[in-house]
Amino acid sequence: MRGVNADSQGARDMPAGTVVGRLAVPAGLLAAVVGAFAYVGAVDPNEPGHYPVCPLLRLTGIYCPGCGGLRSAHAFVHGDFVTALHDNAAAVLGYLGFAVLWTVWVVRAVRGRPLRIDLGPVHLWTLGMSLLVFAVVRNLPFGGWLHP
């Protein structure tokens, strides 16, 4: 039994404590996000037939908080930030929030410290209420500038 454990430990290329090992997960997540943005950047969501239509918008005519998110990502990839904000301002804030959070994660991983996100109920309720207010305002007559 001792030989089995030694062989399974020897199969690891690098210990998990190395900088490269600690950066593997953040790098993998970044690769997935870059791949998704590259796909949306290459396949235009403004042309019908490439992506499914929002079921809430189709059935009720109401814009959900995610409506326009793909068009926003497409404009963001192409550097058209004004259009990206117009298509879905909440999504653009999400892209920027992800970039900041990912950068903090990488810096902490290089320093050997774990990323800790301690979101309490107040934070989660604030985020949820912000998205709800965004969804309501974009469907009111004076919120037409938030329509995708």
Side-chain angles (χ1 to χ4, degrees):
M1 292 302 272
R2 290 183 185 209
V4 172
N5 290 333
D7 288 340
S8 64
Q9 288 179 354
R12 296 171 66 185
D13 293 344
M14 65 186 126
T18 66
V19 174
V20 174
R22 291 190 306 258
L23 290 176
V25 174
L29 180 64
L30 181 64
V33 169
V34 167
F37 269 82
Y39 181 79
V40 172
V43 181
D44 190 359
N46 295 306
E47 297 177 14
H50 292 293
Y51 299 99
V53 177
C54 174
L56 183 66
L57 180 62
R58 176 175 275 186
L59 294 173
T60 65
I62 296 173
Y63 295 108
C64 76
C67 280
L70 288 174
R71 288 187 293 272
S72 174
H74 181 78
F76 196 86
V77 166
H78 290 278
D80 189 359
F81 302 119
V82 173
T83 302
L85 277 169
H86 176 266
D87 286 339
N88 193 324
V92 173
L93 290 176
Y95 310 150
L96 298 176
F98 172 80
V100 168
L101 186 61
W102 185 85
T103 303
V104 169
W105 186 13
V106 168
V107 168
R108 291 185 65 87
V110 167
R111 293 180 179 170
R113 300 191 326 214
L115 178 65
R116 300 190 90 163
I117 303 172
D118 294 325
L119 294 178
V122 172
H123 298 106
L124 296 174
W125 276 102
T126 302
L127 179 63
M129 291 306 294
S130 298
L131 287 174
L132 180 64
V133 167
F134 174 71
V136 169
V137 168
R138 77 187 315 201
N139 285 291
L140 293 175
F142 64 85
W145 59 279
L146 290 173
H147 292 177

